[in-house]
Amino acid sequence: NPERGVYKSVDGGHSWEKVLYLSEESGFYDVELLPHNPDVVFATAWKARRTPWTIISGGDNKDGGIYKSIDGGKNWRKITEGLPQGLIGKIDVGVSPADSSVVYALVEAPDEQGGLYRSVDQGETFVQVSSHIGLRNRPFYYTNIAIDPQDADVVYAMATNYYKSVDGGKNWETMTPPHGDSHDMWINPDTPSILIQSNDGGANVSIDGGQD
């Protein structure tokens, strides 16, 4: 419906203004503010619809992708350099206060085009760093990444399994929380080795960066 889009409030949520809209088919999955500069905003468009008989996740490039604003959402432009140009689906963006020039995007796309993309120029251009199949398992249900707040090369990815990379997403270690189906996590901004990871079994606390 035409109510899809990104909305912004400047009065603590009492009133809202739609600041980004594509179509009745496409909504937005993730909105991220650049640490230390909230005027820089990333929003990821996603054509998605679930009916009793099918799941639609993704569509032509015009129905999805990453949009960037540098004026607090007043104006937006689509980022395309280095990203898949055909079918594209759900996208999660990750940024870290440790280095605001580094932006990650976990992208649902066909075959080897899907996976993790990395930017070193604040999201202007991207390069694919991994097509690891585990990162994009059931993308309509998962597709979630988190970046260490003190080290922009440390990346966590959540899907059926739980993964960690310490080299900017090139290589991945499978973590072993008590339950599968990983969905979200919180990283302590002052002590990143302390984290809470959530999955279909509940919430799990680690004090050693997810090793235990």
Side-chain angles (χ1 to χ4, degrees):
N1 61 56
E3 293 177 340
R4 286 187 165 193
V6 175
Y7 291 75
K8 179 181 179 180
S9 173
V10 296
D11 57 8
H14 293 286
S15 61
W16 294 85
E17 176 190 4
K18 186 191 292 185
V19 294
L20 179 58
Y21 173 77
L22 283 187
S23 71
E24 295 185 6
E25 298 291 331
S26 297
F28 288 82
Y29 168 64
D30 188 30
V31 176
E32 297 285 344
L33 308 182
L34 193 73
H36 312 306
N37 185 1
D39 281 338
V40 179
V41 189
F42 297 94
T44 64
W46 180 30
K47 181 180 180 179
R49 179 174 294 179
R50 188 163 188 167
T51 68
W53 55 88
T54 191
I55 297 172
I56 297 172
S57 181
D60 293 339
N61 197 267
K62 65 181 177 61
D63 295 311
I66 300 175
Y67 289 78
K68 180 180 179 181
S69 171
I70 60 172
D71 55 10
K74 294 179 183 177
N75 298 283
W76 298 84
R77 57 190 175 86
K78 188 173 184 178
I79 304 297
T80 60
E81 186 68 32
L83 294 168
Q85 297 303 302
L87 292 173
I88 196 165
K90 194 176 184 181
I91 303 173
D92 193 45
V93 170
V95 292
S96 169
D99 188 345
S100 63
S101 64
V102 177
V103 180
Y104 292 93
L106 184 56
V107 179
E108 177 191 6
D111 304 320
E112 295 298 304
Q113 295 180 71
L116 187 71
Y117 288 75
R118 188 175 190 260
S119 169
V120 295
D121 55 10
Q122 213 167 88
E124 294 297 317
T125 63
F126 283 86
V127 173
Q128 188 181 34
V129 292
S130 179
S131 60
H132 190 308
I133 189 64
L135 309 184
R136 46 203 180 93
N137 172 249
R138 295 188 78 202
F140 72 92
Y141 190 56
Y142 302 114
T143 309
N144 198 351
I145 54 172
I147 318 303
D148 189 296
Q150 294 187 12
D151 188 342
D153 283 333
V154 176
V155 186
Y156 295 86
M158 285 148 278
T160 300
N161 292 318
Y162 181 41
Y163 301 94
K164 181 179 181 179
S165 172
V166 296
D167 59 3
K170 296 176 184 177
N171 297 284
W172 296 90
E173 175 187 3
T174 302
M175 314 301 282
T176 56
H179 199 284
D181 291 348
S182 303
H183 291 286
D184 207 354
M185 66 180 295
W186 171 82
I187 306 172
N188 188 308
D190 299 316
T191 310
S193 59
I194 299 174
L195 55 89
I196 303 173
Q197 192 260 10
S198 64
N199 52 56
D200 281 9
N204 306 285
V205 178
S206 173
I207 60 172
D208 58 7
Q211 296 301 317
D212 295 302

